[in-house]
Amino acid sequence: MKKILLTLSIIILLPLNMLAYSENIIPGGENIGIEINSEGLIVVGFYKVNGKYIGSETLEVGDIILTIEGVNVDSINEMSAAIEKNIKNNEVNIQIKRNGKIKNAKLTLIKDEGVYKTGLYIKEKVTGIGTITYIDPKTKIYGALGHEIIMNETKSRVEVKSGNIYESYVNGIDRSVDGAVGSKNATILYEKQLGTINENKSVGIFGKYNKTLPEKETLKVAEWKDIKTGAAKIYTITEKDVVEEYEIEITKLNKNEINSNKSISFKITDERLLERSGGIVQGMSGSPIIQDDKIIGAVTHVIIDDVNNGYGVFIRTMLEEGEN
């Protein structure tokens, strides 16, 4: 079986002319830095204190610590301050979220060398890189990645409290080979914020683009019936900050997966891109797919055992999620 790698009930019927997104959008291709601040603090592992994994007595990997003694904690510094101020009998009351449900618990701590230790490995934010897919010129809503952001340690979708996207500069590429997916190496320019991150969904991250819109021609948004197997291209960066076009071939249209991030199957055919990257690499997720001068989707996955091949998401699926 081929392995696949990621490269987040009331129905209201609206007439087509009431759709909020534009029928002509600005194509992306630019590399972006991503920073998401989650709600609370995420437990990603445990360490021994005096020979015991004291944190695992109460918590599980993936738990989100929301409060300590009623005090909201969104950073490790806030957590430390709340513990120091409120600890009694080597324990504190905490509120956590586990599998979407709120629970109350007690966290035991051990004082070691004058410092209270929790036995927990904690994350307060998630960072990474990807590719912007589109910007709607009317609403300034953007979409990127084409798939959700999953935290490696917990294998769960990251919940967004706040977040930003930034300019990013590609320094080089670790090439893909069958069985081992490579990645873009990039520097995130935190002083150059591009926009906010409001949602992390199964078909991408979405938010508001806050900078002046790129001076690019818009492309028409394709209907599903417009897409066909055969030649197409992607926009992406392989060096510095220059977006280039690369040839691909649409190999299959998966209509039964039209609402998922695997509705379009494709393979890279451009010899320049194969020479530079070896195939699809991490960081290409979100690269827009263009066919017949229409934007049809975005790169989302690579097939690990055959890195020239991958999947894409249908562009209207992204647009609809971005507007919800």
Side-chain angles (χ1 to χ4, degrees), residues 105-299:
K106 290 186 181 293
L107 179 64
T108 301
L109 301 100
I110 293 177
K111 197 167 189 177
D112 184 26
E113 298 179 353
V115 177
Y116 283 106
K117 295 187 176 180
T118 63
L120 305 174
Y121 289 117
I122 297 290
K123 266 194 177 180
E124 60 185 58
K125 64 178 60 177
V126 176
T127 60
I129 63 168
T131 302
I132 196 162
T133 304
Y134 69 86
I135 307 169
D136 188 316
K138 293 182 179 178
T139 64
K140 296 192 78 171
I141 292 173
Y142 75 85
L145 294 187
H147 61 69
E148 72 270 53
I149 294 177
I150 298 288
M151 183 167 286
N152 288 335
E153 296 89 345
T154 65
K155 307 304 179 188
S156 60
R157 188 185 303 179
V158 177
E159 295 186 30
V160 177
K161 180 180 181 181
S162 63
N164 295 302
I165 58 170
Y166 303 91
E167 290 187 22
S168 178
Y169 186 90
V170 177
N171 304 310
I173 293 180
D174 294 329
R175 299 176 76 253
S176 286
V177 295
D178 289 348
V181 178
S183 64
K184 292 184 182 182
N185 299 316
T187 299
I188 299 175
L189 306 177
Y190 288 103
E191 70 278 12
K192 295 185 177 181
Q193 181 191 353
L194 294 174
T196 59
I197 300 172
N198 299 332
E199 296 184 282
N200 175 29
K201 297 188 174 184
S202 63
V203 293
I205 60 171
F206 303 93
K208 281 281 188 174
Y209 194 86
N210 293 334
K211 302 293 284 186
T212 301
L213 293 176
E215 294 182 0
K216 292 181 175 182
E217 289 189 13
T218 60
L219 290 178
K220 186 171 179 57
V221 177
E223 301 277 3
W224 182 257
K225 63 181 177 58
D226 297 329
I227 310 172
K228 57 183 182 293
T229 57
K233 55 191 175 184
I234 63 171
Y235 295 168
T236 200
I237 291 176
T238 57
E239 187 176 6
K240 298 181 180 178
D241 58 357
V242 180
V243 177
E244 296 186 73
E245 298 180 5
Y246 295 102
E247 296 173 356
I248 66 169
E249 180 185 346
I250 307 298
T251 56
K252 185 180 178 183
L253 299 174
N254 309 307
K255 189 173 183 179
N256 60 330
E257 297 286 343
I258 195 170
N259 293 319
S260 80
N261 52 29
K262 296 179 184 175
S263 56
I264 300 170
S265 298
F266 73 93
K267 68 177 179 181
I268 294 175
T269 57
D270 196 299
E271 291 298 330
R272 294 176 305 133
L273 185 54
L274 293 172
E275 177 64 27
R276 292 177 185 180
S277 66
I280 304 166
V281 296
Q282 295 182 72
M284 282 184 185
S285 292
S287 299
I289 305 174
I290 315 300
Q291 189 179 61
D292 296 332
D293 294 323
K294 296 178 182 179
I295 183 166
I296 68 171
V299 175

Side-chain angles (χ1 to χ4, degrees), residues 42-49 52-63 65 98 107 118-122 153:
I42 305 169
V43 178
V44 297
F46 306 100
Y47 63 88
K48 284 184 178 180
V49 182
K52 295 182 179 180
Y53 288 104
I54 57 171
S56 65
E57 294 173 0
T58 303
L59 299 171
E60 300 176 1
V61 169
D63 285 350
I65 301 173
R98 177 182 295 166
L107 179 64
T118 63
L120 305 174
Y121 289 117
I122 297 290
E153 296 89 345

Side-chain angles (χ1 to χ4, degrees), residues 20 141 199 201 206 317-324:
I141 292 173
E199 296 184 282
K201 297 188 174 184
F206 303 93
T317 301
M318 281 190 77
L319 285 163
E320 288 166 9
E321 284 297 309
E323 296 291 341
N324 289 335

